[in-house]
């Protein structure tokens, strides 16, 4: 398997623009997570999906952030409008949850999308 | 609320040394614990996963142990190499939750 695939790897945009980050989880995984990493705050969970359904979005900073998972192989994280304080590396991760056949809950990360908002 | 602490925050050693990275957590009701490695500008790579019923896991020169009762895990790296230089993070999955709680990591530098 190719692992978790994220795009774009780098995004530079101006304040007020819409940003869409994309993620393809590992095939067969049933849980998908979006994280944000900054030097100041470390790794923060934004939202996670189980079987394509958002379970916990309490980490989403504000209404400017939204995430969707229309099917088991694709998810998006959208920021509209973007602000300079949104600059960070955004990671997508997936896992096969415990309780499912072969599921250990081991979490696998993508390479991340580095967002810079000017 | 589960809290995960990693000590030290940074560590510098000469090549060839055996070293131990520490991870402590406040709530022993965990489902599993996972160690990750992160290289600069890269994502997190899973190194070892220890289920709550296990005491340790080994992969090559890496050995991770888990002591739930004391709320501690250690990552042992044998015969360190410059290529081991990276940030190492531990994360615990509490029982009943699907999300992990991460420590802030230990930045390791192995000098030739």
């Amino acid at each position: 398997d190719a692992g978790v695939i994220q795009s774009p790897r780098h995004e530079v945009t101006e304040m007020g623009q819409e940003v869409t980050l994309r993620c393809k989880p590992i095939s067969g995984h049933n849980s998908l997570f979006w994280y944000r990493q900054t030097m100041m705050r470390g790794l923060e969970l934004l939202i996670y999906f189980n079987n394509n359904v958002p379970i916990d979005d309490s980490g989403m900073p504000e209404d400017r952030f939204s995430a969707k998972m229309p099917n088991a192989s694709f998810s998006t994280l959208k920021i509209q409008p973007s602000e300079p304080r949104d600059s960070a590396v955004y990671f997508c991760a997936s896992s096969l949850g415990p309780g499912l056949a072969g599921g250990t809950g081991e979490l696998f990360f993508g390479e991340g999308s580095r967002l810079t908002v000017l | 609320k589960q809290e995960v602490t990693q000590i030290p925050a940074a560590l510098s050693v000469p090549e060839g040394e055996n070293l131990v990275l520490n991870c402590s957590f406040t709530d022993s009701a965990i489902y599993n614990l996972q160690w990750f490695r992160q290289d600069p500008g890269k994502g997190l790579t899973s190194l070892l996963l220890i289920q709550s019923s296990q005491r340790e896991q080994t992969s090559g020169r890496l050995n991770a142990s888990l002591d739930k009762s004391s709320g501690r895990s250690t990552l042992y790296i044998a015969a360190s190499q410059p290529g081991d230089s990276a940030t190492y993070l531990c994360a615990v999955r509490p029982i009943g939750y699907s999300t992990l709680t991460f420590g802030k990591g230990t930045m390791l530098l192995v000098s030739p």
Side-chain angles (χ1 to χ4, degrees), chain A residues 51-109:
Chain A
N51 295 323
N52 311 340
V53 176
I55 302 300
D56 183 357
D57 65 354
S58 60
M60 297 285 262
E62 47 200 273
D63 292 345
R64 297 185 297 106
F65 286 69
S66 63
K68 294 182 179 179
M69 191 165 186
N71 57 61
S73 59
F74 184 66
S75 177
T76 59
L77 178 67
K78 186 175 293 187
I79 307 172
Q80 167 64 18
S82 58
E83 297 182 3
R85 59 190 168 122
D86 302 330
S87 298
V89 182
Y90 292 81
F91 287 106
C92 177
S94 71
S95 70
L96 179 59
L100 298 178
T104 63
E106 186 173 5
L107 195 62
F108 295 89
F109 279 77

Side-chain angles (χ1 to χ4, degrees), chain A residues 20-78:
Chain A
T20 300
L21 308 178
R22 298 172 177 79
C23 175
K24 176 179 169 53
I26 292 174
S27 177
H29 282 189
N30 69 322
S31 296
L32 182 140
F33 306 79
W34 282 100
Y35 286 89
R36 178 171 68 177
Q37 187 178 45
T38 61
M39 288 292 291
M40 291 293 292
R41 301 170 71 110
L43 204 58
E44 302 174 279
L45 176 67
L46 300 177
I47 185 171
Y48 90 91
F49 295 83
N50 195 49
N51 295 323
N52 311 340
V53 176
I55 302 300
D56 183 357
D57 65 354
S58 60
M60 297 285 262
E62 47 200 273
D63 292 345
R64 297 185 297 106
F65 286 69
S66 63
K68 294 182 179 179
M69 191 165 186
N71 57 61
S73 59
F74 184 66
S75 177
T76 59
L77 178 67
K78 186 175 293 187

Side-chain angles (χ1 to χ4, degrees), chain B residues 11-32:
Chain B
L11 181 63
S12 182
V13 301
E15 181 177 7
E17 272 202 12
N18 302 324
L19 58 100
V20 174
L21 307 181
N22 297 293
C23 172
S24 62
F25 45 96
T26 54
D27 188 345
S28 62
I30 66 170
Y31 186 84
N32 59 35

Side-chain angles (χ1 to χ4, degrees), chain B residues 2 14 18 22 24 26 40-43 52 57 59 74 83 88-89 93 103 108 112:
Chain B
Q2 178 74 267
N18 302 324
N22 297 293
S24 62
T26 54
K42 300 288 188 179
S52 62
Q57 283 283 355
S59 176
T74 61
Y88 291 81
L89 297 98
R93 180 193 293 266
L108 173 65

